[in-house]
Structure formats: structure tokens, C-alpha cells
Amino acid sequence: MDKHEHREKTIGVLVIAAGQGQRFTEAGGATDKLQAAFADASGQVKSVFVHSCQAAQQSGLPVCVVTRPAQQAIRDYCEQQGIPTVLVENTHMGESIAAGVRQTAAWDGWLIHLADMPFISAATLRLVASKVVEEGIVRPVFRASPGHPVGFGRCAFRALSALTDEQGARSLLVQFPLYTIELQDTSILQDIDLPSQLPAGESPAVAQRSGYAPGAELD
């Protein structure tokens, strides 16, 4: 390649799956929320985490998962799929993002994809990735409500890799230029915090039939 030729930028998906999901279990969930399961459009029953991670895989973008050592089900899935993982002992969103960004320092940009948002599609991930610019942050919105995933350009690397707070990367939204993408897609707002938020009133007990052991989740 000619030294003056621009190489293609690498925008990857950082799946954050390191929280504890206390609200889910306190509300009666029979398992942690990332291992609660529901059927996809084809009728296949998969855990919340697998729904989220498969969207990232199907996007065609590089994928890395941040989780905790105790989340064996997630670690096993990633090993089977050849997905690199970053293990963290904390449950703070900021520290999890920082660990993942440091591990993927060769990327030119990052989509922060929360593992408890299983309705976000591969197409949405690709679209947001295509809008990532080096000097700013890209965020999808639905009717003026901000959603996920949030895309960060290379300029945010140092700030992302130094995060320590519990609010994730929210503090960075005022430090860098913010660009929004208006989408007619409510999935960018939908997460799973409570058993009642599982599709079609799925019971948390469904997770016990899915073959997945407890794993990680996000608050």
C-alpha cells in the first residue's frame, strides 16, 4: 500500500457485560438478567447476552466483550465464538469501558454496546459505526431521546481509557463534539432492567430452560 494511501478505519463494538443487575433479581428474576432468555423472531430461545452479542457479531465489525471472571457462561460463549474478552473485577461502567478501550487500543473508534440492550440490531450497529468520526462522539436518538450504542472517535481514546466513575462515559458527552443520528428505531432505548421487560411477558424461569448458567449483567 502506498504510504500516502489512507487505510480503512477500524471501528469496533465493545460489549459491556460486567454489571450485577440487582434490580432484576430484586424484582423476582430467577437468574441474573443477562442469562434470562427469550425467543427471537425465528423462535430460537437465547439469553439476553447472546441476543446482544450476536447482533455485534452479525454487524461484521470487530467485537470485544468486557465481563467479570465469575461470569463463566459469558466467558464460555466468547471462547466458543472466538471473541476476545477483557476481565474486570469491578462493576463500575466507567472502569469496564476503560479496560475494554485499553485492550482494543489499535481500533480507530469504539461503539459502546450495553449487553442488556438485546433489541439493537446489527444494522443499527453498522449505521452508527459508519458515522463515527475521529474528533467527536456519535449518538442515535429517537424522537429526541438519546439512545445506544454510542460511538467514540479516536480523539476520545485517552479520556475513555482513564474512566473510573460509575456513570460510564456520560461525562465525556460534554468534552467532545456530539453528533446525533435521528432513527425511527425504539430498540436504541430499550434495555432489560426488570423481568417484566422481557418480550411477550417471558418468565425469568425461561432462562433456566435455556441451558445457560448465570453470567454478567448491567445495571
Side-chain angles (χ1 to χ4, degrees), residues 46-70:
K46 296 179 286 192
S47 72
V48 168
F49 169 77
V50 171
H51 279 287
S52 298
C53 196
Q54 285 187 346
Q57 293 172 267
Q58 293 163 5
S59 73
L61 301 167
V63 179
C64 181
V65 172
V66 181
T67 191
R68 288 182 287 134

Side-chain angles (χ1 to χ4, degrees), residues 1 11 69 76 78 84 91-92 121 150 195 204 217:
M1 183 176 69
I11 309 299
D76 288 346
C78 292
T91 59
H92 293 175
S121 70
V150 181
E217 60 291 295

Side-chain angles (χ1 to χ4, degrees), residues 190-209:
Q190 294 176 282
D191 62 359
I192 301 293
D193 272 334
L194 303 170
S196 60
Q197 293 171 323
L198 291 168
E202 294 271 21
S203 165
V206 172
Q208 298 176 332
R209 302 197 297 271

Side-chain angles (χ1 to χ4, degrees), residues 11-50:
I11 309 299
V13 182
L14 203 56
V15 183
I16 307 299
Q20 292 183 316
Q22 292 180 332
R23 288 181 61 194
F24 189 89
T25 52
E26 289 172 357
T31 183
D32 72 62
K33 70 177 178 181
L34 288 194
Q35 297 309 320
F38 62 92
D40 63 14
S42 68
Q44 289 187 307
V45 176
K46 296 179 286 192
S47 72
V48 168
F49 169 77
V50 171

Side-chain angles (χ1 to χ4, degrees), residues 139-148 173 178-186 188-189:
R139 187 163 204 179
V141 298
F142 176 76
R143 296 181 181 176
S145 295
H148 285 83
L173 298 178
L178 177 63
Y179 305 94
T180 59
I181 312 169
E182 182 67 43
L183 299 181
Q184 299 305 309
D185 180 4
T186 59
I188 66 171
L189 307 178

Side-chain angles (χ1 to χ4, degrees), residues 67-73 75 86-90:
T67 191
R68 288 182 287 134
Q71 313 311 340
Q72 195 62 52
R75 295 175 62 186
V86 179
L87 301 181
V88 295
E89 292 289 354
N90 69 85

Side-chain angles (χ1 to χ4, degrees), residues 14-19 64-69 85-104 110 112 114 157-172 218:
L14 203 56
V15 183
I16 307 299
C64 181
V65 172
V66 181
T67 191
R68 288 182 287 134
T85 58
V86 179
L87 301 181
V88 295
E89 292 289 354
N90 69 85
T91 59
H92 293 175
M93 180 77 74
E95 293 179 29
S96 297
I97 292 172
V101 169
R102 289 193 298 267
Q103 184 67 28
T104 56
W110 299 265
I112 306 303
L114 306 184
F157 170 76
R158 182 170 296 182
L160 285 169
S161 62
L163 287 173
T164 59
D165 62 86
E166 295 186 39
Q167 292 189 324
R170 188 178 307 171
S171 62
L172 304 190
L218 294 168

